[in-house]
Amino acid sequence: MDHGVVTFQDDFAIRPDEVARAAEERGFESIFFIDHTHIPVRRTTPYPLGGDLPKDYYHNHDLFVAMSFAAAATKKIKIGSGICLVIERDVITLAKEVASLDSLSNGRVIFGIGGGWNREEMEDHGTDFTTRWKRLRESIEAMKAIWRDDEAEYHGELVDFEKIWSWPKPVQKPHPPILLGGHGEKAFDRVIRYCDGWMPLTWVDKNIIPEIRELRERAKRAGRDPQTISVTVFGAKPDPEELTAYAEAGVERVLFGLPNAGPDKVLPALDRLAKLRG
């Protein structure tokens, strides 16, 4: 089981290139960055964890700028989005960004995606909260076509374009791994239908291991080989017993959260987490 880390890439914290280089030096398999373009000042959507929304959510550097800095500063570590709010981005531009980053990093991109929770944030981008999951599916299907075809086209209800040329194509074939962040039966159906893996959040769901078994059973019933679906646990605790249980359940990767702080706090945290690999 691989160990990775996730960070908010805030403008008041350690730089994304610096933390990626430090994580690579300590042997971590991957580093993931989060995605919020902005946070509306006036909103009714509650913070999922309760209380006031931390400033980390609106002080973060752009996702793909941070990922690019991290990729340019490293050689081996995988660079992930955890998660990319696809429904807030132009599909053709996003396909170009992911493919370009995968090309320039020599195939190190992991594409974590999700539908988002902040209604007002996505509405500022013109996305209807009630149709965000349909938009997400159509966007991913369209991006796969752009990555695969020399003359790509897609015709959906919410995403629609005639034949286009778009290069580069991703280094990873047929495309970088697509991991869905989400929970519940509908999330499993989405993973099985158009993703390569599931990325559950521990602070949303603490019963991940039984749900891994459920996901695999649902995949079998849908006619998909469960071995083609990876599991990345987002926000894993640095607990040896819990990590052993994840490994025994067939989890491919665990991601540990890093403090949203400067190098004086982040680097010692990386040192402590690195010891868990034994």
Side-chain angles (χ1 to χ4, degrees), residues 50-72:
D52 295 332
L53 183 71
K55 67 177 182 179
D56 311 315
Y57 285 81
Y58 46 90
H59 273 263
N60 52 285
H61 291 290
D62 174 80
L63 171 64
F64 285 97
V65 172
M67 291 175 70
S68 296
F69 265 69

Side-chain angles (χ1 to χ4, degrees), residues 48-218:
L49 299 184
D52 295 332
L53 183 71
K55 67 177 182 179
D56 311 315
Y57 285 81
Y58 46 90
H59 273 263
N60 52 285
H61 291 290
D62 174 80
L63 171 64
F64 285 97
V65 172
M67 291 175 70
S68 296
F69 265 69
T74 55
K75 298 292 185 182
K76 297 180 180 180
I77 195 169
K78 295 178 181 178
I79 313 296
S81 56
I83 58 172
C84 176
L85 296 171
V86 174
I87 46 85
E88 294 184 358
R89 295 173 176 269
D90 176 83
V91 173
I92 297 173
T93 300
L94 181 57
K96 169 81 78 173
E97 289 174 324
V98 174
S100 297
L101 184 56
D102 198 59
S103 176
L104 293 171
S105 69
N106 295 316
R108 291 190 281 140
V109 171
I110 302 173
F111 192 37
I113 64 169
W117 58 269
N118 192 325
R119 178 188 296 264
E120 289 79 16
E121 178 183 352
M122 63 186 72
E123 286 178 347
D124 283 348
H125 288 279
T127 296
D128 184 340
F129 184 81
T130 63
T131 60
R132 69 193 188 284
W133 290 110
K134 178 181 288 187
R135 178 174 292 277
L136 178 65
R137 174 181 57 78
E138 290 188 3
S139 297
I140 294 301
E141 290 172 349
M143 292 171 67
K144 288 180 178 179
I146 294 172
W147 293 332
R148 178 188 66 237
D149 301 334
D150 288 351
E151 295 185 356
E153 63 180 313
Y154 185 83
H155 303 287
E157 182 178 337
L158 301 175
V159 178
D160 183 85
F161 53 85
E162 298 294 338
K163 289 183 178 181
I164 65 170
W165 292 322
S166 180
W167 272 267
K169 305 299 184 184
V171 169
Q172 299 180 83
K173 301 302 179 186
H175 48 72
I178 301 172
L179 314 182
L180 180 75
H183 297 268
E185 293 184 4
K186 290 184 177 180
F188 290 161
D189 291 341
R190 294 169 184 132
V191 169
I192 293 165
R193 181 173 181 178
Y194 58 87
C195 296
D196 303 298
W198 180 43
M199 189 159 59
L201 283 70
T202 58
W203 54 81
V204 174
D205 191 343
K206 301 186 183 303
N207 298 310
I208 291 173
I209 291 177
E211 293 199 353
I212 292 173
R213 292 193 290 268
E214 181 182 348
L215 171 61
R216 289 171 177 160
E217 288 300 320
R218 292 177 71 90

